[in-house]
Amino acid sequence: MKKNCIAMLLAGGQGSRLYALTQNVAKPSVPFGGKYRIIDFPLSNCANSGIDTVGVLTQYRPLQLNSYIGSGQPWDLDVADGGVYILPPYQSAGEKGSWFSGTANAIYQNMAFIENYDPENVLILSGDHIYKMDYADMLREHLEHDAACTISVLQVSMEEATRFGIMNVGEDGFICEFEEKPKQPKSDLASMGIYIFNWKKLREYLIADENDPNSSKDFGKNIIPNMLNAGEKLWPYRFDGYWRDVGTITSLWDANMDMLSTTLINLYDPTWPISSRSPICPPHFTGENAQIIHSIVTEGCEIDGTVENSVLSSAVKVGTGANIIYSVLMPGAVVEDGATVEYAIVGENTVVHKNAHVGAPPDGTDAWGVATCGPNIEIREGAQVPAGAMIYTSEEV
Amino acid sequence: MKDFHGIIFAYHASPELRELVSVRTAASLPFCGRYRLIDFALSSMMNAGLRDVGVIMQRDYQSLLDHIGSGKAWDMSRKEGGLRILPPFGLPELHTGNYSGTMEALNAVGEYIRDIPQKHVILLLGNLCANIDLTKAKLQHLRSGAPITAICADHTPDGLHHRYVVGEDGFVKTVLFDRVGDGEGLPSLEGYIIDKDLLLSLMDRCKALNLYRFHKDGISMYLNEGGKMGVFVHEGYASVIRTVNAYYQANRDMLCSAKRSQLFPADRPVRTKNHEGVSTYYGAHAVSRRSLVADNCIIEGEIENCIVFSGVRIGKGAKVKDSILMRRCVVGDNCELSHVISDKACTYSAGTVLTGNERLPIVVPKGSTV
C-alpha cells in the first residue's frame, strides 16, 4: 500500500554515555519524566502527526524495547496497513549477516521494508530526543520547497554552536554548507538529527554510499555532504520549541528536571498527548509524613518522606523520613526509611537501604556531578555514594 | 481452565446511591482514584483464567459500555467468546420497569445462558468491591462435589445481607435473609459458582412459577429440597456498594494500607481501562496527607484524607479534606471542601466553602458548577 510518508526511527546502539542505565536496555527504553520512556516522544509525535508506519532500527538489547512497543497500541499505531515494526539486523541468503555499520547503513539494510510501502518521503528520526514536533508541518515545508531533503534545525547560541552540526544557509534560504562541530561557526542553526528525504533521491544516495569503501555510512558525515556537493536542494525547517538530546547523564537529569516546568514543555496539553505503555497501578499514596513540593509523582508510588524538585516514576517507594531532593527515581525504585537521595538518578527496581546517602548538592567544583545508580542493584544500609559516582553493581558500595 | 464461564450483574442502581447513579449503574461507579467497581469482578475472573464473560445490563449503561469497551483490558477481547454485553432481549415486549430480581435478569438473557459452552458458571455482582481468588474458589467447588458454591465474606459487612449457616459436613444447612450485623452463619457476597445445568433448571422453574428473586425464590427452593451447597470464604476486604455511605466508606477504607493491599494484592492485579497520563504535579505550596492521588493532576493546595481521580486541579490555598474528587474536577483557589463526594467534571469557583459530615457527605452531581 502506498504511503506519502513513513518514519524510520534510529533507536541505535548502546548509548554508552548513559553507562549503568543502558547496561541491559537500549537507550530509547530508558525511563523518562515519570510516565515515559524516551522513545514515547518520537512515537507519539508520529501518531499525532498522522504518520502511521514506523520502523524502529535497533541492534542493542532489543528485548525490553520489543516488549515495550508490542503492537504499538498505546500510540494508536496498531493499524491494519502499517504500524510500528522493530527492525533488527538480519541475515540474507548467501550472505553473511552484518550489524548496522552506521545510521545510513541501517536504513540501507532495511530498504525492503521501506519499499513495501512505496513512500514518496521518508522521515528519519533519532531515539534519544525529548521534544514535541508536528512532522506534518515539516513535511509541508519539504513539499512546498520541492526539497530533496529537509533538515530540522534549532537556533542555538554561538557558543553552543561549536557542539553541533551547523547548517549554513544561502540567500535563497536553502542550505549551502554543513559543518560538523565548527570551531568558528558561521551560523547558529544546529541540526536536530531529524530529516525528511524524498525517497527516490535518498535511495540513490544510500546505494552510492554503500559502494563507497571510505564512507562511514552516516547521515551527517556522508549522505548530507554528498547531497550538498551534488547540488541537491536541502531545506532547513526551523523549529523553535523545546528540544533536548538526552545522550548523557547530565543532560538526562537536566531534561527530567525540565519536566517540572509546564512552561518549557507542556505534557498536559490534550491536543498533543505523549502516550506510553504504563503498568496499571493504584493511585499513588501519600502518608502521614509525606511532604511533596515542586515534584511529579506517578501512580503506584507510596510516599511517606520528603520529596522536593524530583521526578518519581511509577511504583516508587519512599520510606518514612527519607529525603528525595533534585533526583530522578525510575520505576520500582525503593528508598527506605531515613535514606537520602539528592542530585541523583536511581535506576529501575534499585533499593537504597535505610540511612544510605546517595549524591550531594553541587559544590562549585568541576569534579561534582549527578550520582547514578544502575537498575536492579542494592545500596546497602548506611552506605555513602558520592556526587558524580556511577554504580553498576551492588558490590561497589 | 476453560470450564468456567463468568456472569456479572451490572444492572443495579439502588436509589440509596442517589445522584451517583443518575448517570450510571452501581457497577460503573468510579472508585479509588482510577477504577470502576466492575473492575473487581472482571479482574477476579481474569486472574482465574476466565475469558468468556457476560455482563448483564439493563439501562443507563452508556458509561459502562465506554469503560469496558471490547474487554481488551481484561484479555477478554477474543476471537471466539470473550466479553459479551447483555442488554435485555428475552423479556415480554411491554416490560418497562427495572428487573425485580436476579432470576428475572437471568431469564431476560436466558438464551445466552442456554448457549454457554462451559459446564460451570461463576456469578458475581458488578458492585462488589473485593478481589476474590477465584482460582482457589474453582478448585474448592470442583472438590466439594456440590453443584453450587456460595462465596461468603470472612467478616460482616455494613447493611442488609444474607447469611449461610454451615453444618459440620461443610455444606449449607440454612439461609438467613436480610440480616444486619454479626450473627449465626457466614455473610453472603452474593457470588456463586454453579453448574450450568442447575442454574438453568432453577431459572426455568422460577420462570414457570412467575418468581423472580434469586435468593428468596431460587436458592430457598433448592435448599428446601435438600440441595447441596458448598461455601467458599473470601479472605480479605469486601464491600457491596449499595448506598452513598457504603461508597464513601469503601473509598476511605483504601487510605488504610492493610485494606488497600487486600484489594490490590501484587499477585492478583486489578485491571482497568487505561487513560492517557502524565504524572501528577505538586506545586511549591502543596500538601498531601493520607491521600490517594491518580495521574494527570495538578495540586497546588492542600489535601488530607482524600481520594483524587485523574485530571483534577486543586488551586493555591485550597483545602480539601475527607473528600472524593472524581475525574477532571477543578477546585479553585482558597476553596474549602470537606466530606464532599464530587462527581466527574465539577468546578468550584475560588473561595467556595462546602462542608458535609461523616454520616452525610455532600454529593455534588456530575458537571456541576459551584
Side-chain angles (χ1 to χ4, degrees), chain A residues 21 56 63 105 134 147 181 195 212 229 241-242 255 283 352 371-372 378:
Chain A
L21 298 175
V56 178
L63 176 62
N105 176 259
D134 187 356
K181 296 181 182 149
Y195 314 98
D212 175 2
N229 292 339
Y242 178 91
V352 177
T372 308
E378 303 203 17

Side-chain angles (χ1 to χ4, degrees), chain A residues 150-193:
Chain A
T150 297
I151 302 172
S152 185
V153 294
L154 188 76
Q155 202 162 12
V156 295
S157 68
M158 277 299 181
E159 299 88 74
E160 281 181 299
T162 55
R163 296 192 291 114
F164 287 97
I166 295 298
M167 301 292 162
N168 299 327
V169 174
E171 275 172 14
D172 58 357
F174 284 91
I175 296 167
C176 57
E177 195 185 2
F178 172 73
E179 290 180 286
E180 185 71 40
K181 296 181 182 149
K183 291 217 171 62
Q184 300 288 327
K186 293 177 212 149
S187 138
D188 57 0
L189 295 178
S191 166
M192 296 161 62

